[in-house]
């Protein structure tokens, strides 16, 4: 939870492209969602946890044109700048793909 709060208040809340927090997409909830980039972000304890659920979520979202990415919660605390840089990269790439 503290990782979500840190990412939201220290980066995504005032990001140049609007993000929502806890966005419902079909039957799943994304931790963060950017409509302009059609990008959903989820924080997880371990990327290998609940692999089947994550695959189902990712497949459903991608069938709807939404890119779903996962970040380890520990990365938000230990490598915050790297997580933010990765999100920047993803948003910019998705914007170009969707609006060119």
């Amino acid at each position: 939870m503290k990782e979500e709060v840190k990412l939201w208040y220290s980066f995504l809340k005032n990001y140049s492209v609007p993000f929502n927090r806890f966005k419902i997409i079909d039957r799943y909830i994304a931790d963060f969602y950017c409509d302009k980039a059609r990008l959903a972000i989820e924080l997880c304890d371990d990327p290998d946890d609940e692999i089947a659920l994550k695959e189902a979520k990712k497949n459903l979202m991608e069938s709807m044109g939404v890119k779903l990415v996962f970040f380890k919660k520990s990365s938000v605390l230990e490598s915050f700048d790297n997580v933010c840089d990765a999100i920047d990269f993803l948003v910019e790439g998705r914007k170009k793909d969707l609006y060119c």
Side-chain angles (χ1 to χ4, degrees):
M1 183 72 160
K2 65 185 172 191
E3 299 86 358
E4 290 173 5
V5 169
K6 178 178 175 86
L7 187 58
W8 178 249
Y9 286 107
S10 298
F11 187 64
L12 294 176
K13 184 177 180 194
N14 296 311
Y15 190 71
S16 60
V17 179
F19 270 84
N20 293 316
R21 195 167 174 201
F22 304 119
K23 172 75 173 170
I24 296 171
I25 302 172
D26 197 85
R27 62 182 174 268
Y28 298 112
I29 300 173
D31 293 331
F32 306 101
Y33 178 72
C34 177
D35 189 52
K36 189 166 186 172
R38 310 246 334 130
L39 175 67
I41 297 171
E42 296 236 346
L43 302 183
C44 56
D45 292 316
D46 182 343
D48 295 329
D49 287 347
E50 303 174 340
I51 292 173
L53 175 61
K54 287 179 183 177
E55 269 311 302
K57 222 182 224 191
K58 187 173 184 174
N59 290 339
L60 175 79
M61 289 189 191
E62 290 187 355
S63 76
M64 300 169 68
V66 175
K67 173 111 177 126
L68 174 62
V69 295
F70 295 93
F71 289 100
K72 286 174 50 175
K73 289 180 180 178
S74 61
S75 295
V76 173
L77 299 177
E78 297 165 7
S79 306
F80 185 72
D81 290 339
N82 291 340
V83 171
C84 296
D85 288 345
I87 292 170
D88 273 333
F89 180 80
L90 288 163
V91 168
E92 289 307 312
R94 295 285 295 164
K95 283 181 8 188
K96 284 181 187 174
D97 289 346
L98 294 171
Y99 298 106
C100 282

